[in-house]
Amino acid sequence: MSNYKQALTNNIFKVISLASAELQLESYVIGGFVRDYILQRGEHKDIDIVAVGSGIELARKVSDLLPHKPKVQIFKTYGTAMLRAYDMEVEFVGSRKESYSQESRNPEVESGTLEDDQNRRDFTINALALSLNEETYGELLDPFNGLQDLNTGIIRTPLDPDITYSDDPLRMLRAVRFASQLGFRIEKSSLEAINRNRNRIKIISRERVVDELNKILLSEKPSVGFALLHKTGMLRLILPELIALEGIDEIEGQRHKDNFWHTLEVVDNISENTNDLWLRWAALLHDIGKAPTKKFDKKMGWTFHGHEFVGSKMVYKLFKRLRMPLNEKMKFVQKMVLMSSRPIVLAEDVTDSAVRRLIFDAGENIEDLMTLCEADITTKNPRRFKRYHNNFQVVRQKLKKVEERDHVRNFQPPVTGEEIMETFNIKPSREIGIIKDAIKEAILEGEIPNEYESAKEFMLKKGKDIGLKPQN
Ligand code: ATP
Ligand code: MG
């Protein structure tokens, strides 16, 4: 029998072992910690402990034995307890059997053996348990050959997949998420069962759905997860906006690209350059406006006029529907979608004023916007690929040069509203806005440099133009 004592060197395990002995009950580490240890994925910071007995009592005992007596948080409805120690978050649960009803993913629970508890786990790779009992410390309990599935990279349910997924449909999303995070394959009968049960994801709270979507997006190659969501039919239920991008139309011999598969490539590309969840969301949604704006024009061919604007509006609706935060993160995603074509236009013809406008409009997000646009290059033609990337190099250099000279990135009006009011002896009024705007425009157009003296001179001239007189 394999022994994994070396996985259990953190003091917390010794203390749990001791506490279990004192209470004369058995306990095991189970789930993610064991899985990630064997996969050498770095330390899993949340530990799940199964006690054959009361998890809550065990947690209390562990806290007693610890020098700093950490607070034990108890979740009565779930019969679980949690405490923090040695930089770990430890969750305790009593081993249990579960039975489910149709309407909810919250089961009836009764206590059971370790095997009962392993049976209720979602996947064989998540049912691996390590003994914390004195005589068998570190021994692996693996009733479903989870170790083999870990080694061959397979997501499989311990029991009949139809029952496992129907009992708790969240597991269908978890299957996809783990496949994406770990680069694993979902075993055939599981995939088929997900297909049959996919409509049951409707009973999952949207927050949980979004949690899993975020984890898929944060995986190394998110397209793995999204392709599986697509294949199992779940994507249509969760993100129909993306499904609407699928397919290639042809009229008069002209075809446009399949924007769904293109989008997945863009998400993979951007994931090589950023771990920012919201920038990855922006990549996922950057083309959603293309479905409702698609038209065929006899002269122009396929067009998607205004898709960036339409797309940015759709972002709000989508976030709202999924109960995602409607805060500055959402605004960031909207802004990225709205501006997603701007640098591309520049790549063809880079004038200083166009560059200044881009920097002004993108503000502090200019870097992210460039990252998005570079990820958007998915052409399979190596010459074009190179040319597009070179074009963006030129844009980047220009951005740098112009910003160093003109400082419009965090634009502050060089002449304040107060100064305008004092100069012309006027009260707050429309004129002030007109003058400020004219100054800003003149700077962006390159008529005047972004500095006080020139702006003041321009203000005096503009004021006179609209019939104002300076005080003295
Ligand atoms: P991660 O922490 O990376 O999300 P994990 O496997 O640790 O991965 P948790 O959500 O922390 O996932 O759950 C811990 C363990 O609890 C899992 O390994 C699994 O054994 C079990 N588990 C979690 N959610 C479910 C579920 N919906 N159905 C069955 N078992 C589950
Ligand atoms: Mg975990």
Side-chain angles (χ1 to χ4, degrees):
M1 179 159 292
S2 349
N3 192 296
Y4 286 86
K5 260 191 201 122
Q6 73 280 9
L8 308 178
T9 50
N10 191 307
N11 276 335
I12 186 67
F13 297 114
K14 312 261 157 71
V15 177
I16 298 169
S17 181
L18 201 66
S20 308
E22 283 196 20
L23 294 175
Q24 297 191 309
L25 53 76
E26 291 181 4
S27 66
Y28 301 85
V29 196
I30 195 162
F33 177 89
V34 184
R35 179 194 70 226
D36 287 353
Y37 177 82
I38 296 175
L39 287 176
Q40 301 181 308
R41 285 188 83 225
E43 197 169 37
H44 196 99
K45 292 281 177 193
D46 54 296
I47 305 178
D48 293 284
I49 303 293
V50 182
V52 184
S54 163
I56 294 173
E57 248 178 71
L58 178 58
R60 289 206 173 107
K61 185 56 132 189
V62 169
S63 173
D64 265 359
L65 294 178
L66 284 166
H68 64 297
K69 314 270 181 262
K71 190 171 155 324
V72 179
Q73 262 191 66
I74 293 171
F75 307 95
K76 257 221 178 103
T77 20
Y78 301 105
T80 63
M82 197 273 280
L83 59 78
R84 279 173 233 274
Y86 302 107
D87 194 26
M88 299 283 202
E89 202 176 286
V90 195
E91 184 145 342
F92 297 82
V93 60
S95 55
R96 54 175 65 177
K97 265 195 206 140
E98 294 182 338
S99 44
Y100 286 82
S101 64
Q102 269 293 104
E103 301 74 37
S104 147
R105 48 176 298 265
N106 298 321
E108 298 270 326
V109 178
E110 54 183 312
S111 49
T113 62
L114 174 68
E115 290 78 50
D116 290 329
D117 200 279
Q118 284 172 302
N119 276 326
R120 76 174 177 91
R121 301 275 157 178
D122 47 5
F123 307 114
T124 59
I125 59 168
N126 286 345
L128 295 163
L130 295 181
S131 165
L132 292 174
N133 310 307
E134 229 174 341
E135 310 84 69
T136 53
Y137 196 79
E139 258 177 32
L140 180 71
L141 289 101
D142 178 16
F144 315 111
N145 271 325
L147 192 56
Q148 193 182 322
D149 288 344
L150 266 189
N151 288 328
T152 49
I154 290 179
I155 310 282
R156 186 198 314 274
T157 58
L159 305 178
D160 177 347
D162 270 300
I163 295 170
T164 300
Y165 294 121
S166 159
D167 275 353
D168 176 2
L170 179 65
R171 294 166 181 162
M172 300 192 283
L173 286 176
R174 282 173 60 92
V176 171
R177 183 257 285 194
F178 283 119
S180 201
Q181 276 182 329
L182 306 175
F184 279 24
R185 184 164 70 72
I186 301 176
E187 172 249 357
K188 188 158 167 277
S189 64
S190 239
L191 265 184
E192 290 165 358
I194 295 176
N195 247 306
R196 282 190 289 272
N197 287 283
R198 62 169 175 245
N199 281 313
R200 284 188 56 74
I201 58 170
K202 290 192 182 123
I203 69 166
I204 308 173
S205 80
R206 277 164 274 191
E207 289 79 359
R208 299 305 293 263
V209 172
V210 171
D211 267 355
E212 297 301 326
L213 283 180
N214 286 343
K215 285 179 179 167
I216 292 171
L217 262 178
L218 286 174
S219 60
E220 204 176 299
K221 226 175 146 212
S223 65
V224 173
F226 285 102
L228 281 167
L229 288 177
H230 174 262
K231 185 172 176 176
T232 54
M234 289 193 285
L235 195 60
R236 184 180 295 282
L237 304 171
I238 305 171
L239 294 170
E241 296 87 348
L242 286 183
I243 295 291
L245 294 176
E246 196 188 7
I248 300 172
D249 287 320
E250 181 169 334
I251 295 182
E252 295 176 5
Q254 296 208 52
R255 295 151 65 90
H256 61 77
K257 66 183 166 214
D258 185 313
N259 283 303
F260 173 69
W261 295 102
H262 160 72
T263 291
L264 296 197
E265 277 186 64
V266 177
V267 175
D268 281 352
N269 283 347
I270 211 164
S271 301
E272 287 178 19
N273 293 313
T274 180
N275 292 321
D276 183 298
L277 175 64
W278 303 103
L279 189 49
R280 290 183 178 202
W281 266 107
L284 185 70
L285 303 181
H286 80 285
D287 269 349
I288 50 174
K290 279 190 174 171
T293 56
K294 181 163 81 177
K295 285 212 170 64
F296 185 78
D297 179 286
K298 279 211 176 301
K299 284 204 200 86
M300 316 252 301
W302 289 103
T303 65
F304 305 91
H305 282 309
H307 78 83
E308 301 87 349
F309 179 75
V310 172
S312 74
K313 298 285 162 210
M314 289 168 75
V315 168
Y316 171 79
K317 288 194 187 136
L318 186 153
F319 269 51
K320 193 160 181 211
R321 184 186 73 232
L322 291 176
R323 303 232 171 95
M324 289 169 73
L326 301 175
N327 57 12
E328 69 286 355
K329 301 298 184 196
M330 180 208 61
K331 290 200 185 121
F332 166 78
V333 176
Q334 284 192 301
K335 185 170 171 185
M336 289 294 103
V337 173
L338 182 64
M339 296 193 70
S340 58
S341 306
R342 291 275 301 273
I344 297 163
V345 181
L346 277 193
E348 299 299 322
D349 174 26
V350 216
T351 65
D352 278 11
S353 64
V355 171
R356 266 192 302 273
R357 282 192 187 279
L358 178 65
I359 303 176
F360 176 80
D361 291 340
E364 58 181 3
N365 305 123
I366 185 70
E367 268 303 312
D368 287 341
L369 183 62
M370 290 303 293
T371 306
L372 174 60
C373 288
E374 279 161 345
D376 205 1
I377 302 172
T378 60
T379 171
K380 297 293 167 293
N381 176 326
R383 281 196 8 248
R384 266 191 226 156
F385 184 86
K386 194 149 183 264
R387 193 175 88 225
Y388 294 163
H389 274 283
N390 284 343
N391 286 348
F392 279 127
Q393 271 324 98
V394 175
V395 175
R396 275 184 185 273
Q397 280 160 15
K398 197 93 187 189
L399 284 170
K400 193 156 173 271
K401 209 177 93 205
V402 169
E403 177 55 17
E404 272 166 13
R405 190 185 61 211
D406 300 337
H407 310 289
V408 290
R409 182 167 161 155
N410 296 305
F411 184 79
Q412 296 295 335
V415 177
T416 63
E418 282 93 69
E419 187 165 355
I420 299 172
M421 289 193 276
E422 275 168 33
T423 308
F424 297 108
N425 192 22
I426 50 174
K427 298 233 151 49
S429 57
R430 217 167 57 88
E431 280 74 16
I432 297 153
I434 293 173
I435 294 173
K436 278 180 92 172
D437 216 48
I439 296 173
K440 184 197 88 191
E441 283 298 314
I443 292 170
L444 292 180
E445 274 308 307
E447 288 163 25
I448 59 169
N450 184 11
E451 57 177 46
Y452 177 73
E453 285 305 329
S454 318
K456 174 134 196 217
E457 204 178 301
F458 185 87
M459 166 191 78
L460 287 167
K461 185 168 145 295
K462 183 74 195 172
K464 279 181 196 153
D465 285 354
I466 59 173
L468 297 175
K469 287 202 185 70
Q471 271 211 83
N472 14 1

